[in-house]
Structure formats: structure tokens, C-alpha cells
Amino acid sequence: MLDAVWIVTALPAASFLVILFFGKRLPKKGAGIGIAAVGASFVLSCITAAQWIDHVNAAEGHSVGLGAFVGKGMLLSGSEHAVVKPVVHSITWWHNGGVSFGVGTYVDGLTVMMMFVVTIISLLVHIYSTGYMRGDHRYTWYFACLSLFTSSMLLLVVADNTLQMLVGWELVGLCSFMLIGFWWEDPANSRAAIKAFLTTRTGDIGLMIGVIILFFAVGSFGIEKTNVYASGPLGQHDILLAASVCLMIAIMGKSGQFPLHTWLPDAMAGPTPVSALIHAATMVVAGVFLGARLYPVFYDGFSIGNGGVNMMALIGGITILIGAVLAFVQQDIKKVLAYSTISQLGYMVMALGVGAWVAAVFHLFTHAFFKALLFLGAGSVSHGGTHHSFDMREMGGLRKSMPITFWTFLIGSLALAGIFPLAGFWSKDEILVNAGANGFDVFLVIGLVGAFLTAAYMTRCVYLTFFGEYRGTHHPHESERSITIPLIVLAGFSILAGLVNAAPLGLEKFAEYVQPTFAFPDLMHVEFDYPKAILSVALATLAIGIAAFYWFRREEFGALEGLTKRNKVAHAGYAFLENKYYLDHLYEDVIVDGIRGPIARASYWVNQHVIDGVVNGAGRGAKTVGQFAYGTVDQRVVDGAVNGLARETGAAGGELRKIQTGQVQRYALLLFAAVGLLSLALFLTNVL
Amino acid sequence: MWEQQVAFWILAVGMAVAAIGVVRTKNIVHAALSLVVVLAGAAAQYILLAAEFVAWAQVLIYIGAVVILFLFGIMLTRAPMRDDSSRLDNDQRWAAAAVALLVFGVLVALVVDAFGGQEIRFGAELVAQGRTQAIGTDLFRVFVVPFEVVSMLLLAALVGAVVLARKD
Amino acid sequence: MQLNQFLVLSAFLFGTGIYGVLARRNGVLVLMSVELMLNAVNINLIAFSAFNRNVGGQVFALFVIAIAAAEVGVGLAIVLLIYRNLRSPDLDEVDQLKG
């Protein structure tokens, strides 16, 4: 399977086409095909993962500790691990001017892990959607888009060259656009879709420029070659820095980092399963995946090995905080989760920025499970509890009427908050530990603050949704099995997923199989730090406690009620948050309108006076020429000639007619005259 | 032989004058009579050339029958028998004169050029040739088919004239 | 005698006949002019017959005389018909084929 990974990508693509063309005629309206294809892809991904593990084990068996790759202070000393090369297959599509373009697969631990995550989450979302989207008038198209998205994401993940990755990147952006604006009858949804597309597009500029810079530096689009170049002695730091900055912009756009994060909350306009799949677990992590895949480029470009603040870590850190703070002021449960996603993505990027590659990727892995769980839980709440509303002001007390949803959601929240022994604890703590150890202390602080805030806003969210009195007007009930079973499965993963890399327990399977050993910088291996772990759990528990205390005993805090309305400072702070730091205002009104206004007016002026002037002038000129041509040339000259010819012919005819007098003697005269003349002519020519 | 020359010239001049008279006189009956002179002159010329039978046939048929026919025609069509200049010539007189002159000129030039200086030799053979016996021999031996055809033609003409001219 | 004398005479008569055919208004006069032309031809024939010592020329002349007679008969019948239809023997008035 390692050599035939393309099948995993092709299956959902084929199912997309089948659903597209035949979906409406099938009994399950295409859902069956989609589930079957993704299910098969999942099984194949698991097989591939097993094969990769065997592959690594086999290589370990022959480990000789190749150390000789010396260059620029990076020693691939082959410490505990042998160098296991990824399994790469590529097909050249065409050559042009010395450059060859092709498609291919690049299978290593990261690929295998991503494939696993994408297919399992996609499969669960497919099953969930059969219940959630039942009766929707575009049911078949929905499943077609889901299949296309799964296939595109897999294409991106297995790509062996940056162009293919770019194609997959754009395709997932397209699917995101289509699915956010799925109910485009409401113009707000279309606007959200366009906003998502344009914001990520802004980031994509960085991606394209970065890919091109790397191409000119490396001489090829291949990822393997690029990593070799970046981690070897040939890599030029300045070029790699430029490429890193550009690719960082792409990560900012796609993975919702500050300041290009504004599209993620708006993307919640799409169906909830879509939010779970695309905007929590898979597409938004494409940026993190890019950073992980091309890590040697970033490692060298941002000089991560030397410690200190670099662009990646800084942006990641800022994102953690702004996301967490904004989650507090949201009334819509999905928006809380969206800002939480932004915050967690900030963790992953920050982790990459401080050299904690395994931590970042591991957090990606665990976050996928519990964030998807939370989103699907929110969907269950709206489906069964509030009749398709996500406003938490209409919820409350749902733990009694929707127990499964409540317990799974609670598990997901605790995992997100990083409570031992759930998955989030292991991954988040790994990040914090690495941040502290590698000399990035400020980021450790940021991470801890973020953990505190995360626990607090999730408590608020859980309380408002499931505790207290029901404030809505419907009759809440538990959702059906197709919705609750994925919730339960994901809850199981949220509990157990952390154990694949539980360092203190000696289970570092994740690091062993996923961390690349070929053309990869020698990262510091940080030992698990018990004090920091205990500190983070304590902080999280404290946050939960404070928040719970506040919310459960709200009556006693009556003085705080309405504080934001009475106190001007508090009100200003609240308004600042409510307007999302006025970033949207900045983007749309200041930047876009500021550019659009003068430019639009200028181009309007050019259009009216210059372009229209030319066009109208040409038109007038043509008209004048036409009139001249008609009047003078056509009427007088041409028609004159033609009419004159006709007239003269008529006149000549009229004249010639007079010969036909009807009088025989006249004819005889002509006859004899002719005879005479002819005979004269003959006489003259022959006789004389 | 100067007698023949004299005779020829007298006849020729007479014929010429009469011919012009046919085409130029204002009295239609005078024209018919001038025609008679021409025909008679022609017959005399035939005799000069020792063609007796033809001369006699000419006199009989032309002068004896054709001219009578013409006079009858004049009568029956109530042609004005008085002098009437304006009504006998049409508009294209001058053009006709020119054409006639042209044709005459061409013919004369042709003839003079072709047969200038040729003489007709008279003798017994010539005389013998013109006799009725010689003509009859040739007519009914060599030219018998044309002879018969001409008789058919005459019959046709006769029937045709009757058909054309009858009143009904 | 010169052959040419007869030939020139014949040509003269022929030309005169042409003038008469073209210039005369009365149908009968036209027919008379045609007779003139035919006689000219006859003179020509007889002269050549004498010149060439060939009696065929005279036989031919005989035929011409016969045909001329026939032709005059038919021609006068036609002139009569014209006179009957048009009340006048004037050939100028026969212009129904005027284009």
C-alpha cells in the first residue's frame, strides 16, 4: 500500500464523480457511495499506516547510525533513530524548458498520520451527515462536495511536489467555499463564503511566491529535494528566510492565524458537519501541515534552532491569545468553538516556531478528535435541542434532555482544556514543555495563559448550554443514532488518543514513527517536565473552578451584571471584543474601501473619459466615414456608374430599336449595304 | 466587228436609260413601260451573243407575260396612275443610292480586275451553241432534273398565287 | 467584243435594280426592280456562256427566266393582299414588325 497510496486519493475522487452524475438516482441519494468510498480510504490508510510502521521497524533493525551528514551546525547524528527515507513515487507529466512537472506520492509518518486523521474524521462526518442533513434539498450535492474535499485533502497530504500541494490546497479552498456557502439562498452565507475564499486567497499569494522562490533555489518542485536543500550545506539562509516568510503568510491565511483569521468565525455559516470536518480537523490544519512538511525550510529560515522570538512563534502566540479572549464574548456556540479553533491553531504554529515539531503535529492529531467532537456535539444540540439555532441564549439545561450529547461534549471540553488524562493534556503539555525548554520562555507564559483562558471559556460554554434552566421555546430531545454514534466514537478517541505519545509513560510511539529522520533538522529532544505539566493542569482546573463558581452562583455576582453597560471602560473593552478588535472594520472599511474608493473613482473617470472617449470617438469617426462612403462613394460614384451604365444601355437600346422599323426595305438596305461592304473588303484584301 | 459594237452600245445606252427610268420615274405606268424597254434590250443583247432561243424565250415570257402581270397588278392595287412624286419614293433614297453605287463599284472593280481584256470570240460554234437544238439537247439530257423541278415550282407558284389572292 | 462590256452593263443594271428595290415605295415597283436585277444576272450568264463556249449558261438563263416569272406571280399576289389589308400599296405602311 505504501507504493499505491494514490488509490486512497482516487477513491473519494471517483465517488465524487459518481455521486455527481448518478447520486440522485441512488437509493441513499449518494450518501452510500460517499460513505463507502471514504470508509475504504480509511481502511487503506490504516493498512498504509501499519506498513509504514513495519517499514520503520525494518529500517531500525539495520540501523547503522549514519552520522555523516554534516552541515551548518546541523548534525544528523542518527541518535536513537536510523534514517528512514520516505517512500516516494512520482510520475512526470510533462517537461518544459528543463523543468518537469508531475504528480506523485510521498509517504512518511506525517503523511500516514494525516491520512488516518482525514479519513476517520471524514467517515464519521459522513455518517453524522446522513442524520443531520436529512431532507435537505441539496443532499446529494453535499455528499459530492464532501467526497471532493476528502480527495483534495488527501491529494495535498500525499503530495510529493509543491505544485501538487498547491493544487490540493486550492481545491480544499474551493470545497470550503462551496460548503460554507451551501445554503446560499441566504446572502449572509454567500458573503461568508466569499470572505473565507478571499482571505485565504490573500494567504495563497504567499504560498505561490514561496513555492516559486524555493523552486528557483532548489531547481525542482520536489519536496524531498527541497528538504535536502534546506537541511544541507547548500541551503542559502537568505533565500530560505524569504521563502519562510512567504509560506508563513500562507499558513496565516489557511490556518487562521492573526491577522488573517477573520474568516474562520464567519465560516460557521456552513452546515455543522462541514465546520467539524473542514474548519476544525482538516483543512485549517493544512497550514500547519505545510509548516511540518517543509520544516527544514522554516527551521533554517527563521533560525529556530537559535532560540529567540521568530515570526512563526510570535504569530502563533498572538493568535492563541486573541482567539481565546474573543471566545468569551460569543453568544453563538459555534463561534465559541471557532475562536477556540483559532486559538488551538495558534498553539500548533507556535509549537512549530519553537522547534517542537512532534508536539505541534501531535496536537494537530488530538485536536482533530476533540474539536470535531465539540462541533458535532454543537450540531447535535441544534438538531435536537433548539431546532437549528446555535444561540446559547436559547439553550440551557440540556444535560437532562440530551445526555449522550452532554457527556460527549463534556469530555471534549475537558480534553480541550488539557485535563489529565485526556488527549489534550498530553499534546498541549508537550508544547508547553518544549516552549519552556528551548529558551522560548515568553511563549511558555503565553501558552499557560492560553490554557487558563481555554478552560474558562469552555466552562462558560458548557454551562450556558447544558446547565441552568432551558431558555428556549422548543422541546429538546436527544438526537438520533446516526448523530450520537460518531459523538461516542470521537469521545473515545479524545480519551485514548493521547496515549500514543504519552512521554512519561514511555509511550512515544508517535514520535518514533511520525517524526521524519531524513533531511530533517536535529531537534532537541525535551524530556517530559513534571512541574510544568502539573502547573498547566492546575491552572486549567483553577480556571474551570473560577468560571463554574461565577456561572453557577451568578446571582451573587449581581453587581457585575450589566457592568459593561454602566462602566465606560468596561463597555469600551467589551465593545472592542465584540467587534473582534475592529479587525473586520479595518479590513473591510479602511483597507478595502480606502483602496476601492479612490481607485474606483479614478478608474471610473478613466473609463468615462479616456476609454469611452476613444470608443465613442471611434464610433463617431466610423459613422462619419460611413456616411461619406455612403453619400459620396456609394451614391454618386458607384451608383452613378451603375445607374449611368443602365441608363446608357437603355438609351442605346432605345436608339438601336429604331432600326427595327418593321419596314422591309429598311432591312433590305442594311442587307445590301452589308453585302457591299463585305465584298469590298474581300476584294481589297484578296485582289489588291 | 464594228457593227456589233455599235449595236451593243446603242442597246446598252438605251437599256441603261430605261433602267434608270424604271427606278426614277414618277409615273408608275411609265416605269412599267421602261421595264419593257429594258427587257427588249436584253433580248437584243442575247441575240448579239448568239443565244437565239433564250432571246425568244425572254421576249415571250418577260415582255409577253410578266409585264402584263405588272400592269394588272398596278390596276388592281389602284396605284395612282398620274404623276405622283411624293408617294413613289421612300425616305431612304440617298442611302439606297449610296449602297447601289457601292455594289456597282465593287462589281465593276472585280470584273475589270478579273476579266480585263478578255474577248468573246465569235464563230460558228457560238452560233451552233445558241440554237434550239443545242439547248434542247442539254436541257433534256444534262439538266432534266432541274427542268422537272422547275415545272413543280411553277405549279407551286401557280397554286400559291391563287390561294394568296383569292377573296374569302 | 470585250467580255467586260457585258459584265459592266450587267453590273449597272444590277445596281440600278438595287436602288429600285430599296428606294421605291410601291410594291409593284419593287418587283419591277427585282426583274431588273434578274435580267442583269441573265446577261451575265449569257455572256459567260459565249465566252466559255458552254451552253449551260444559256440553260441556266432559261431557268432564271422561268423562276422569275413564277416569282412575279406570287409577289403580285402578296402585293394584292397587302393592298387589301392596308388599303394602300404603300410598303412604308407595312410595319407591323416594328420594334
Side-chain angles (χ1 to χ4, degrees):
Chain A
M1 206 50 223
L2 283 174
D3 303 312
V5 162
W6 61 269
I7 297 180
V8 179
T9 312
L11 277 175
S15 109
F16 164 69
L17 288 171
V18 169
I19 296 175
L20 195 63
F21 287 117
F22 304 110
K24 293 222 173 87
R25 288 178 239 155
L26 295 172
K28 278 199 187 269
K29 292 221 172 153
I33 303 278
I35 293 177
V38 174
S41 288
F42 171 65
V43 170
L44 291 174
S45 300
C46 293
I47 295 176
T48 313
Q51 286 184 332
W52 172 257
I53 292 176
D54 282 344
H55 184 75
V56 171
N57 286 336
E60 299 263 316
H62 305 108
S63 95
V64 183
L66 329 199
F69 209 160
V70 179
K72 292 205 317 183
M74 277 194 245
L75 272 172
L76 229 45
S77 61
S79 25
E80 310 98 55
H81 305 285
V83 174
V84 182
K85 287 189 72 168
V87 179
V88 180
H89 289 279
S90 38
I91 301 174
T92 305
W93 195 0
W94 91 91
H95 293 277
N96 191 12
V99 180
S100 46
F101 301 88
V103 295
T105 59
Y106 179 107
V107 180
D108 73 345
L110 178 64
T111 312
V112 161
M113 181 216 82
M114 287 299 296
M115 278 166 54
F116 178 80
V117 167
V118 170
T119 50
I120 181 79
I121 304 272
S122 180
L123 178 63
L124 291 172
V125 164
H126 269 82
I127 296 172
Y128 183 94
S129 301
T130 56
Y132 190 82
M133 298 292 287
R134 178 175 304 124
D136 191 287
H137 55 286
R138 276 200 292 279
Y139 190 80
T140 307
W141 173 240
Y142 174 84
F143 276 93
C145 285
L146 278 189
S147 279
L148 181 65
F149 169 79
T150 310
S151 171
S152 314
M153 192 69 204
L154 289 167
L155 182 76
L156 191 156
V157 159
V158 304
D160 85 317
N161 60 67
T162 47
L163 280 184
Q164 186 178 338
M165 201 190 287
L166 185 64
V167 170
W169 184 283
E170 298 293 345
L171 271 176
V172 295
L174 172 70
C175 289
S176 164
F177 171 78
M178 289 197 292
L179 284 166
I180 293 174
F182 189 70
W183 293 307
W184 46 260
E185 289 86 358
D186 182 352
N189 295 339
S190 316
R191 275 201 299 274
I194 291 175
K195 183 174 174 182
F197 194 72
L198 288 178
T199 313
T200 50
R201 208 92 184 93
T202 313
D204 291 351
I205 298 172
L207 179 62
M208 286 188 227
I209 297 177
V211 165
I212 291 173
I213 292 177
L214 284 174
F215 170 71
F216 278 112
V218 177
S220 151
F221 288 107
I223 289 178
E224 202 178 345
K225 287 206 176 87
T226 307
N227 282 341
V228 168
Y229 169 85
S231 53
L234 292 169
Q236 291 177 277
H237 178 75
D238 298 327
I239 296 180
L240 288 173
L241 172 61
S244 306
V245 171
C246 292
L247 291 174
M248 189 62 210
I249 296 176
I251 297 177
M252 288 198 295
K254 193 67 110 180
S255 290
Q257 302 297 303
F258 175 85
L260 291 176
H261 66 277
T262 50
W263 65 272
L264 237 173
D266 287 25
M268 297 300 115
T272 308
V274 166
S275 305
L277 176 63
I278 299 185
H279 305 120
T282 43
M283 188 189 88
V284 291
V285 300
V288 181
F289 171 77
L290 176 71
R293 178 67 106 205
L294 288 176
Y295 198 60
V297 174
F298 294 96
Y299 194 82
D300 188 291
F302 289 133
S303 306
I304 293 178
N306 299 332
V309 174
N310 57 62
M311 184 184 181
M312 212 169 188
L314 182 65
I315 299 240
I318 295 175
T319 308
I320 296 176
L321 292 176
I322 59 161
V325 172
L326 279 179
F328 273 106
V329 298
Q330 301 303 319
Q331 306 296 351
D332 182 323
I333 190 175
K334 278 179 76 172
K335 288 228 165 72
V336 173
L337 296 175
Y339 282 106
S340 167
T341 306
I342 292 176
S343 182
Q344 297 301 308
L345 288 168
Y347 268 103
M348 295 178 216
V349 171
M350 189 186 82
L352 283 178
V354 299
W357 192 95
V358 172
V361 173
F362 185 46
H363 195 61
L364 192 160
F365 181 71
T366 55
H367 172 266
F369 292 115
F370 53 70
K371 195 44 73 63
L373 169 61
L374 287 171
F375 267 108
L376 292 182
S380 169
V381 164
S382 91
H383 190 77
T386 58
H387 202 71
H388 297 290
S389 159
F390 291 101
D391 194 334
M392 289 195 287
R393 293 173 289 202
E394 291 177 26
M395 300 179 192
L398 290 175
R399 70 187 155 103
K400 300 188 206 85
S401 39
M402 305 177 72
I404 301 180
T405 308
F406 167 66
W407 284 108
T408 51
F409 197 89
L410 186 62
I411 291 173
S413 308
L414 291 175
L416 175 57
I419 303 295
F420 177 89
L422 302 175
F425 163 73
W426 303 104
S427 56
K428 193 179 293 186
D429 272 8
E430 183 116 6
I431 296 176
L432 295 174
V433 160
N434 274 285
N438 285 348
F440 296 95
D441 289 325
V442 61
F443 294 114
L444 169 64
V445 171
I446 291 176
L448 286 171
V449 171
F452 181 85
L453 293 173
T454 305
Y457 68 65
M458 280 317 294
T459 311
R460 166 180 179 263
C461 178
V462 168
Y463 177 80
L464 283 176
T465 308
F466 293 103
F467 288 89
E469 295 301 321
Y470 181 59
R471 296 180 286 277
T473 53
H474 302 280
H475 299 285
H477 58 89
E478 186 57 84
S479 304
E480 62 212 65
R481 277 223 304 269
S482 56
I483 290 184
T484 53
I485 290 188
L487 290 178
I488 297 174
V489 172
L490 284 171
F493 272 108
S494 300
I495 297 174
L496 299 171
L499 297 175
V500 299
N501 204 39
L505 304 181
L507 296 170
E508 290 203 71
K509 293 287 169 226
F510 200 82
E512 188 177 342
Y513 292 114
V514 174
Q515 181 170 11
T517 48
F518 173 76
F520 197 74
D522 194 15
L523 301 174
M524 276 177 61
H525 177 73
V526 180
E527 288 299 329
F528 194 78
D529 192 328
Y530 280 97
K532 292 201 184 70
I534 294 172
L535 177 62
S536 74
V537 173
L539 273 175
T541 316
L542 180 66
I544 293 176
I546 293 176
F549 188 68
Y550 170 79
W551 285 104
F552 277 103
R553 304 284 183 89
R554 202 139 35 118
E555 310 85 42
E556 297 172 27
F557 287 96
L560 286 179
E561 287 284 335
L563 180 70
T564 52
K565 293 194 189 71
R566 285 181 281 123
N567 186 313
K568 282 217 177 60
V569 173
H571 182 72
Y574 188 74
F576 186 65
L577 287 179
E578 210 176 3
N579 285 315
K580 303 170 249 174
Y581 311 118
Y582 294 104
L583 269 181
D584 275 339
H585 173 75
L586 174 69
Y587 290 151
E588 285 166 24
D589 301 328
V590 176
I591 295 180
V592 174
D593 280 354
I595 292 175
R596 201 176 59 182
I599 291 186
R601 275 193 292 278
S603 49
Y604 182 72
W605 185 88
V606 168
N607 187 48
Q608 289 298 96
H609 294 99
V610 176
I611 297 177
D612 273 1
V614 169
V615 169
N616 288 345
R620 266 197 303 276
K623 200 169 99 168
T624 310
V625 169
Q627 277 170 342
F628 170 74
Y630 175 71
T632 309
V633 175
D634 190 49
Q635 291 294 87
R636 301 233 199 97
V637 174
V638 174
D639 274 1
V642 169
N643 289 347
L645 188 67
R647 206 171 37 241
E648 292 310 311
T649 308
E655 291 302 311
L656 282 173
R657 193 159 54 89
K658 292 183 187 159
I659 296 179
Q660 302 280 344
T661 54
Q663 294 167 334
V664 182
Q665 280 170 313
R666 180 76 62 171
Y667 301 157
L669 173 70
L670 294 170
L671 182 91
F672 280 113
V675 167
L677 287 169
L678 276 172
S679 46
L680 178 66
L682 276 171
F683 175 71
L684 287 174
T685 54
N686 289 335
V687 173
L688 286 185
Chain B
M1 314 250 238
W2 64 272
E3 300 96 347
Q4 285 164 325
Q5 286 284 4
V6 170
F8 170 77
W9 280 109
I10 293 174
L11 283 170
V13 170
M15 282 169 74
V17 171
I20 293 189
V22 169
V23 297
R24 289 289 302 155
T25 182
K26 300 174 188 18
N27 187 328
I28 198 166
V29 180
H30 290 177
L33 294 175
S34 301
L35 186 66
V36 171
V37 171
V38 172
L39 295 171
Q45 297 281 18
Y46 298 158
I47 293 179
L48 260 180
L49 287 169
E52 316 170 320
F53 183 76
V54 180
W56 187 229
Q58 165 103 348
V59 169
L60 269 182
I61 298 171
Y62 263 126
I63 303 176
V66 171
V67 173
I68 305 299
L69 266 180
F70 277 129
L71 289 170
F72 267 107
I74 291 169
M75 255 196 329
L76 287 172
T77 60
R78 306 250 170 90
M81 305 206 186
R82 285 164 265 114
D83 279 5
D84 199 346
S85 67
S86 66
R87 293 179 59 185
L88 279 188
D89 286 334
N90 63 22
D91 298 331
Q92 58 185 28
R93 292 202 299 276
W94 301 106
V99 171
L101 213 56
L102 171 69
V103 174
F104 173 67
V106 171
L107 281 172
V108 165
L110 184 64
V111 155
V112 164
D113 182 77
F115 300 106
Q118 309 276 4
E119 288 206 352
I120 301 180
R121 283 189 304 277
F122 289 95
E125 299 155 344
L126 191 66
V127 173
Q129 179 182 283
R131 295 171 77 122
T132 311
Q133 180 181 0
I135 290 195
T137 313
D138 231 33
L139 189 63
F140 292 107
R141 279 204 199 150
V142 181
F143 298 103
V144 65
V145 172
F147 177 77
E148 298 299 330
V149 171
V150 166
S151 36
M152 295 301 299
L153 180 104
L154 286 171
L155 177 65
L158 178 70
V159 172
V162 168
V163 167
L164 278 174
R166 66 181 170 165
K167 282 198 192 206
D168 53 1
Chain C
M1 270 201 262
Q2 300 267 347
L3 174 63
N4 279 352
Q5 294 164 231
F6 294 97
L7 298 185
V8 172
L9 173 67
S10 143
F12 180 80
L13 285 178
F14 194 77
T16 314
I18 287 179
Y19 174 79
V21 165
L22 301 177
R24 289 305 225 176
R25 205 183 275 197
N26 194 315
V28 181
L29 281 170
V30 169
L31 283 168
M32 289 187 204
S33 308
V34 174
E35 291 308 312
L36 267 182
M37 289 162 79
L38 286 167
N39 273 285
V41 170
N42 271 353
I43 294 174
N44 218 335
L45 281 168
I46 303 292
F48 270 107
S49 158
F51 178 68
N52 288 325
R53 297 288 169 84
N54 190 344
V55 76
Q58 298 181 18
V59 174
F60 210 104
L62 274 176
F63 282 128
V64 170
I65 292 172
I67 292 168
E71 171 241 333
V72 165
V74 176
L76 277 175
I78 293 173
V79 171
L80 265 176
L81 274 175
I82 291 174
Y83 173 74
R84 266 193 224 144
N85 282 320
L86 296 175
R87 288 269 151 253
S88 145
D90 204 334
L91 283 184
D92 277 353
E93 292 176 29
V94 182
D95 58 358
Q96 273 85 351
L97 285 180
K98 182 170 180 173

